[in-house]
Amino acid sequence: MIRSRRAFVRNSLIAASVPNLWSANAIIPNFSEEKAPENAINPWIELSEAAYLKNAKVISSMANGKPVLAVLKNNAYGLGDVEVARILDKSPQIAGIALVKDKRALALRKAGVSKPILLMGDFDDALWKDLVKSDITLAVHSDESLQKIQKLIRKKRTPVLIAMYVDTGLGRMGMPYHRAVKWAKAIAAEPKLRVTSTFSTLTTPIDFANVQIARFNELTAQLNKEGVQVGKRHLAPSSSMLELPDAHMDMVRPGILLHGSFPMGGTDVAEKYHLLPTFRLKARVIRVEKLRAGDTIGFSRFYTAKTDQWIATIPIGWADGYDSRSENGAKVLIGNKLYRVVNVNASHCNLLLGQDKEVTVGEVATLIGPDRPEITPEGFAQLIKGHNYLQIHYKESIPKYVQGSFH
Ligand SMILES: *Cc1c(COP(=O)(O)O)cnc(C)c1O
């Protein structure tokens, strides 16, 4: 009952920007001890509130106690931006939440998130009023984006929160640092713009990141000298945060570390830092069958049974965001045993059980989780020869259940 009401509320939140849903906050129950329904079949994600709060603390201590601006773009890397933001809203180390899409910034506010929210991407003019009313900090990132905001503030009486997005060499977004002084002065000259932060993004090669840090320091020093407010300064995504203390500035800006996962490397990196895995990806076994020697699985007849053997089917596939390269050797935990993935289609995958029928329909399969090294995000990335980031783009429709902690 509670669940369906929440699902209804959440779906309406996602549907559109509806100002009268401010009141929705009052009827969203506290879901910090929510469990997947006993009979859930299709994939679901469990999140550990304790792990997120602990990670926020650890990340801040890695940066000598600097506050953390949590990057929850791309639906918090598939794990649920609203759910993760509502957890991090309780963390004293989290200074704010940054994301890239205008509608998601609004969805977070409407779900009751109260920390500052920075929209690092651009926005649809039609959402301007809602964004401003919701106290979303807007990134000014070019001459054109300044002109657009200058036009929109003409009719405003109260100040609008903005951040100055500077390009120090990533070349993707932001005002090029060598043209930024005049632009920043024009921003400072607008009484209705309140600059809360100035930021840029570092590239991964350390030599060049150091060049970017110098460019950023020089620019902000010059602006300070000229009396231009720059607010909090931030530069560092996870990898730079780990490697370059000089990049910590006034706050650090990690994404992947919050989920207890790492931007690079495998389990060796994970052992060095005491971050906790924050999620489990699960689904239930829906079919167990015996293949005869010579039988195959998959449209391309990807897997051929060499002997008679049992296989299980799990209702998750690449369309759900489960990496299709899993069929090259990923493992899945059922009970206390790992089974090899031998086929991934859009909505299903198959596991090899072996000579015996060791698994029955209805058992829960853990595809990613902290329970075994092979199924942690790092262990999984190694087995599929993939990238730590690319595996976590689970479909938004996968339900999320927030638990107090993983036991
Ligand atoms: C994605 C992103 C981050 C966070 O990156 P991680 O590697 O996940 O820590 C930080 N800043 C910007 C501008 C980003 O786009």
Side-chain angles (χ1 to χ4, degrees):
M1 190 63 205
I2 287 174
R3 225 178 59 76
S4 58
R5 187 172 61 176
R6 197 183 105 224
F8 167 75
V9 169
R10 198 199 286 144
N11 289 341
S12 355
L13 293 178
I14 288 163
S17 57
V18 202
N20 64 7
L21 274 171
W22 276 101
S23 58
N25 192 25
I27 55 163
I28 296 176
N30 182 343
F31 55 100
S32 71
E33 270 299 342
E34 211 180 319
K35 292 227 169 9
E38 292 297 315
N39 53 357
I41 294 291
N42 289 311
W44 70 91
I45 287 171
E46 296 171 357
L47 301 174
S48 161
E49 179 169 297
Y52 276 108
L53 295 176
K54 168 89 190 310
N55 289 350
K57 215 182 214 172
V58 171
I59 291 167
S60 171
S61 70
M62 286 171 176
N64 284 318
K66 294 276 167 70
V68 178
L69 178 56
V71 177
L72 300 186
K73 65 185 181 194
N74 306 333
N75 194 28
Y77 296 155
L79 297 167
D81 53 8
V82 163
E83 289 81 0
V84 176
R86 292 185 69 185
I87 296 172
L88 294 179
D89 214 26
K90 303 174 186 172
S91 164
Q93 287 82 26
I94 298 292
I97 287 159
L99 24 70
V100 176
K101 296 286 194 282
D102 47 13
K103 284 191 180 158
R104 300 314 304 160
L106 290 172
L108 258 54
R109 228 7 136 228
K110 283 164 187 162
V113 172
S114 63
K115 297 267 189 198
I117 297 176
L118 167 61
L119 177 61
M120 301 192 293
D122 212 319
F123 61 90
D124 186 332
D125 287 18
L127 298 176
W128 159 257
K129 277 193 181 149
D130 265 0
L131 290 164
V132 168
K133 199 164 62 187
S134 307
D135 274 331
I136 308 295
T137 303
L138 303 170
V140 182
H141 61 87
S142 65
D143 285 322
E144 290 82 357
S145 85
L146 176 57
Q147 286 155 13
K148 164 167 142 172
I149 289 178
Q150 282 172 322
K151 212 173 187 177
L152 288 165
I153 54 173
R154 269 185 216 146
K155 287 190 216 137
K156 284 272 312 161
R157 281 203 216 105
T158 48
V160 169
L161 305 175
I162 60 136
M164 297 195 286
Y165 196 163
V166 177
D167 181 9
T168 51
L170 182 70
R172 179 182 68 179
M173 281 282 282
M175 176 55 96
Y177 71 101
H178 50 86
R179 296 207 294 117
V181 174
K182 207 174 127 204
W183 169 81
K185 283 181 167 169
I187 293 170
E190 289 289 349
K192 283 185 259 174
L193 296 183
R194 184 177 299 155
V195 177
T196 61
S197 70
T198 297
F199 72 107
S200 186
T201 307
L202 297 179
T203 56
T204 35
I206 289 187
D207 287 355
F208 188 62
N210 277 319
V211 171
Q212 291 182 274
I213 292 172
R215 288 171 175 175
F216 189 74
N217 280 331
E218 206 170 302
L219 172 67
T220 54
Q222 190 182 344
L223 292 175
N224 276 331
K225 211 166 70 191
E226 303 205 24
V228 174
Q229 299 287 333
V230 300
K232 301 271 188 239
R233 304 180 312 148
H234 48 98
L235 272 183
S238 299
S239 68
S240 336
M241 198 203 114
L242 295 176
E243 290 169 344
L244 292 167
D246 284 352
H248 293 170
M249 301 285 155
D250 298 321
M251 48 191 180
V252 289
R253 210 178 55 225
I256 198 163
L257 289 177
L258 293 160
H259 312 290
S261 198
F262 289 84
M264 73 306 251
T267 44
D268 49 333
V269 191
E271 277 161 19
K272 240 172 90 182
Y273 301 98
H274 301 287
L275 295 176
L276 298 175
T278 57
F279 71 100
R280 284 195 180 101
L281 174 65
K282 291 181 171 178
R284 235 175 254 272
V285 175
I286 56 167
R287 177 177 182 263
V288 176
E289 259 311 329
K290 192 171 189 176
L291 295 183
R292 301 158 304 170
D295 283 349
T296 62
I297 313 176
F299 290 108
S300 63
R301 309 194 72 196
F302 181 77
Y303 179 78
T304 307
K306 291 195 184 68
T307 57
D308 289 4
Q309 51 194 209
W310 289 90
I311 51 136
T313 304
I314 318 276
I316 186 169
W318 52 258
D320 300 294
Y322 186 62
D323 201 301
S324 63
R325 288 169 297 180
S326 299
E327 63 193 14
N328 297 323
K331 301 278 168 62
V332 171
L333 183 67
I334 302 175
N336 54 16
K337 199 167 163 189
L338 290 166
Y339 296 96
R340 185 160 68 95
V341 179
V342 291
N343 176 57
V344 180
N345 290 153
S347 343
H348 299 97
C349 67
N350 292 104
L351 310 180
L352 180 60
L353 302 180
Q355 308 301 320
D356 301 316
K357 189 185 179 215
E358 294 180 358
V359 163
T360 51
V361 167
E363 282 193 70
V364 173
T366 306
L367 298 115
I368 303 286
D371 315 277
R372 290 284 190 288
E374 292 87 343
I375 58 167
T376 62
E378 279 60 45
F380 177 79
Q382 273 180 337
L383 288 177
I384 68 165
K385 298 183 177 57
H387 198 293
N388 284 5
Y389 290 89
L390 297 180
Q391 53 175 312
I392 41 179
H393 46 191
Y394 308 125
K395 214 170 199 179
E396 216 174 296
S397 56
I398 297 181
K400 322 291 183 301
Y401 298 98
V402 179
Q403 302 180 349
S405 66
F406 288 161
H407 304 295

